Amino acid sequence: MNDPDHTIWPQVLEQVRASRPELCRQWFEEIEPISIDAGSLNLRVHQAIHHQYLQRECAEAFKDAVQAVTGHLVVVRFFGPGDTVDQKPQKSQQEPVEEHIGVSENGAPISAEAAFSRGRVRGDELAFSPDYTFDNFVEGPNNRLALAAARAIAQNPGKAYNPMFIHGDVGLGKTHLLQAISLQVLAANPDATILYIPCEAFITRFMESVQAGEMSSFRHYFRDVDMLVIDDIHFLAKLDRTQDEFFHTFNSLYQSNRQIILSSDLPPDEIPHLENRLVSRFKWGLVAQIDAPDYETRVAIVRQKARVRGADVPDDVASLIASRIDSNIRELEGALTKIQVQAQVAGSSLNLEAARAALGVKDEPAPGAQVTIETIVDVVTDFYSVTLSSLQSKRRQRSIALPRQVCMYFARQYTRYSLEEIGGYFGGRDHTTVLHAVRTVTNHRESDAELSKVLASLEKKINGAASSNAA
Ligand code: ADP
Ligand code: MG
């Protein structure tokens, strides 16, 4: 098959964008189609980290796309910097010319790309993502301290804070920050040896080395580095012998001023069965927590994710996603993907209506109208003839509990407040109470025709009040 005019490639790219939006990146624009011949579409990228991303994440999607476009069995080959097309593509070790993002000791500018391909990164156990840079990390009140510390360490490894210990729930950006530091240190010091490894890999290597009687090479591997970055260190919980070995690794690096960076789901003293001497060492430097992002930060993250994907997300769509999903950032990304895919299937643009359909949002107020918690409380207390202060009290009889639950349900549906905030508003209740209220009302709404009617009429009133406020 021949394609002298390169008409196939744009279609393939379009196809990948349509079917797998979550894989797409803005820099896909820079991929060069070299040729399509002998059943192979040959593509070139100029950065090693992009090359790795394509090989690691995208091989299947590109193959499916090219087959969908051409109707033929065509394989896709990605060529990195330095690969020549008549040889098999391979991982590049060459030094490409790229934008300058760092400065070396002698003052010469150095690109992250050069550093990445030249530097002795031992990230083989865990691939670096081109997405996980400081530029792509949105600052918010939830991560301000961790981000500031990460930047300080990236500029001054071994000197700013040692060790650095970042903790927070799953999906809040720990891995992202660890990789951002690693990539930036490499950019500035291309000759640095950085070992970036998930804790599970540390554990596996330790066990294998013990079995094979190769502890001295194990020690070499982990101690002869300029910076050791271990992700998800809480996996050390309960592993006495591995903890013991890690203790010595830690001491050896620490004594020679090598930077140590750790992430964990839990703060040091809450990791179960962690030796005290490790707990105390983990607190020697800086312990920074990442919390769940607030609404504004979530909006900014959705927009940032869309930008990285090369997608255009209108403000109202970003707000909608951020208001519906308030815990895990991966879920924000999942919602964005869902909306992108469904808009594509429906042949529509990525607009609010498509987004609401994709996320199953119903009965929203008129555009421009803002439902406030006060509106909800007014409508509900009026209907049930109760007062706000009784809803905020400890009283639990049904005549109070039901309207309280209904308020929580609507607050969840119409406002962007988190479960915690809603619970706080209704008498300092915790988020599980709100979650329970939302579930209870949702379930009864389906099974109880009477309640269902009441809720529908309350909804009308709430929307009406909100729209007249907006007008
Ligand atoms: P963790 O390691 O804490 O489980 P990750 O670092 O894997 O979380 O983050 C999950 C996803 O959320 C990643 O795609 C990451 O890029 C994204 N993310 C988290 N925090 C931010 C932020 N502040 N700005 C942009 N993206 C973020
Ligand atoms: Mg992680």
Side-chain angles (χ1 to χ4, degrees):
M1 188 184 350
N2 259 320
D3 183 30
D5 303 329
H6 292 310
T7 58
I8 289 179
W9 168 239
Q11 295 176 52
V12 171
L13 192 52
E14 197 48 43
Q15 173 72 19
V16 178
R17 283 198 195 291
S19 57
R20 302 294 303 277
E22 76 282 10
L23 290 179
C24 289
R25 294 296 175 264
Q26 194 160 30
W27 53 262
F28 280 14
E29 297 298 331
E30 296 158 24
I31 300 176
E32 278 176 38
I34 312 171
S35 56
I36 180 162
D37 53 38
S40 162
L41 171 64
N42 300 317
L43 302 171
R44 155 137 10 246
V45 278
H46 296 280
Q47 297 198 28
I49 197 167
H50 290 170
H51 186 211
Q52 284 186 6
Y53 174 84
L54 289 169
Q55 289 187 312
R56 196 175 63 231
E57 310 280 346
C58 304
E60 189 78 17
F62 275 67
K63 190 195 75 190
D64 291 349
V66 74
Q67 292 183 3
V69 167
T70 63
H72 292 278
L73 263 180
V74 180
V75 298
V76 179
R77 294 157 87 198
F78 301 112
F79 293 83
D83 293 334
T84 50
V85 180
D86 29 322
Q87 62 182 206
K88 279 209 173 292
Q90 48 190 243
K91 278 198 183 149
S92 156
Q93 291 306 320
Q94 285 214 354
E95 207 177 307
V97 189
E98 288 303 333
E99 64 192 308
H100 298 141
I101 73 157
V103 175
S104 72
E105 276 157 50
N106 61 16
I110 293 218
S111 72
E113 165 62 9
F116 184 79
S117 48
R118 238 190 322 149
R120 282 165 290 153
V121 204
R122 298 206 207 120
D124 47 277
E125 284 86 358
L126 187 59
F128 281 96
S129 164
D131 297 346
Y132 292 170
T133 59
F134 281 120
D135 279 352
N136 287 345
F137 194 84
V138 174
E139 177 171 354
N142 61 312
N143 60 34
R144 196 155 282 145
L145 174 66
L147 177 59
R151 285 189 189 280
I153 285 170
Q155 271 161 24
N156 231 338
K159 303 201 180 73
Y161 310 98
N162 204 16
M164 178 183 187
F165 190 100
I166 307 183
H167 68 95
D169 279 344
V170 172
L172 296 183
K174 300 182 297 293
T175 296
H176 189 140
L177 274 186
L178 261 46
Q179 294 208 4
I181 302 171
S182 306
L183 288 173
Q184 189 175 320
V185 169
L186 260 180
N189 313 283
D191 295 327
T193 301
I194 295 180
L195 178 50
Y196 171 66
I197 188 170
C199 190
E200 296 102 306
F202 179 87
I203 296 165
T204 310
R205 263 179 185 269
F206 172 68
M207 293 182 169
E208 284 170 359
S209 305
V210 169
Q211 281 220 310
E214 286 169 352
M215 281 314 292
S216 86
S217 77
F218 175 90
R219 289 180 181 136
H220 253 304
Y221 189 81
F222 285 97
R223 297 181 194 182
D224 292 350
V225 297
D226 297 309
M227 181 163 113
L228 177 64
V229 186
I230 301 195
D231 209 353
D232 295 328
I233 196 77
H234 54 272
F235 282 112
L236 280 188
K238 298 184 189 168
L239 299 174
D240 294 348
R241 292 178 63 202
T242 320
Q243 285 183 26
D244 194 49
E245 184 60 35
F246 183 71
F247 174 75
H248 295 294
T249 308
F250 184 102
N251 289 343
S252 160
L253 291 168
Y254 185 85
Q255 278 154 16
S256 46
N257 295 318
R258 307 299 162 93
Q259 180 70 49
I260 302 162
I261 306 176
L262 307 168
S263 81
S264 166
D265 278 2
L266 293 166
D269 34 22
E270 288 176 29
I271 299 174
H273 303 282
L274 185 69
E275 290 179 22
N276 280 334
R277 53 186 188 168
L278 280 178
V279 175
S280 78
R281 273 165 182 74
F282 289 175
K283 297 199 272 190
W284 275 355
L286 181 98
V287 177
Q289 177 168 1
I290 306 187
D291 293 307
D294 62 11
Y295 172 76
E296 281 76 16
T297 310
R298 295 199 300 277
V299 173
I301 290 174
V302 170
R303 308 193 57 178
Q304 171 61 29
K305 290 292 163 192
R307 229 184 340 265
V308 167
R309 292 181 185 182
D312 205 14
V313 169
D315 287 351
D316 50 6
V317 173
S319 311
L320 178 75
I321 298 174
S323 68
R324 307 299 296 185
I325 292 161
D326 63 6
S327 49
N328 183 319
I329 294 167
R330 263 188 217 116
E331 285 172 21
L332 285 178
E333 301 185 66
L336 177 62
T337 304
K338 199 162 167 187
I339 293 170
Q340 285 185 285
V341 168
Q342 294 217 7
Q344 171 67 32
V345 169
S348 73
S349 67
L350 230 169
N351 56 31
L352 186 61
E353 210 179 326
R356 282 174 47 188
L359 298 185
V361 181
K362 297 175 277 195
D363 297 320
E364 291 283 300
Q370 272 275 349
V371 173
T372 62
I373 202 147
E374 289 79 14
T375 307
I376 294 170
V377 168
D378 282 351
V379 169
V380 175
T381 52
D382 186 47
F383 177 83
Y384 286 101
S385 304
V386 291
T387 60
L388 172 59
S389 60
S390 63
L391 298 187
Q392 291 172 328
S393 73
K394 297 267 171 269
R395 294 164 61 190
R396 294 166 73 171
Q397 63 264 47
R398 187 170 159 75
S399 62
I400 307 290
L402 178 65
R404 183 187 293 132
Q405 290 188 321
V406 168
C407 280
M408 290 176 171
Y409 168 83
F410 284 134
R412 188 64 184 154
Q413 217 171 30
Y414 286 120
T415 74
R416 60 197 197 195
Y417 296 114
S418 67
L419 295 169
E420 283 80 3
E421 287 166 323
I422 295 169
Y425 186 84
F426 290 102
R429 294 178 155 80
D430 73 11
H431 73 280
T432 53
T433 307
V434 182
L435 203 59
H436 175 71
V438 173
R439 290 200 180 126
T440 307
V441 175
T442 308
N443 291 341
H444 284 135
R445 187 172 193 167
E446 280 162 20
S447 56
D448 179 342
E450 186 67 27
L451 180 67
S452 164
K453 241 192 251 159
V454 168
L455 293 175
S457 104
L458 291 176
E459 243 153 27
K460 262 215 188 85
K461 286 185 192 161
I462 291 170
N463 285 332
S467 302
S468 60
N469 286 347

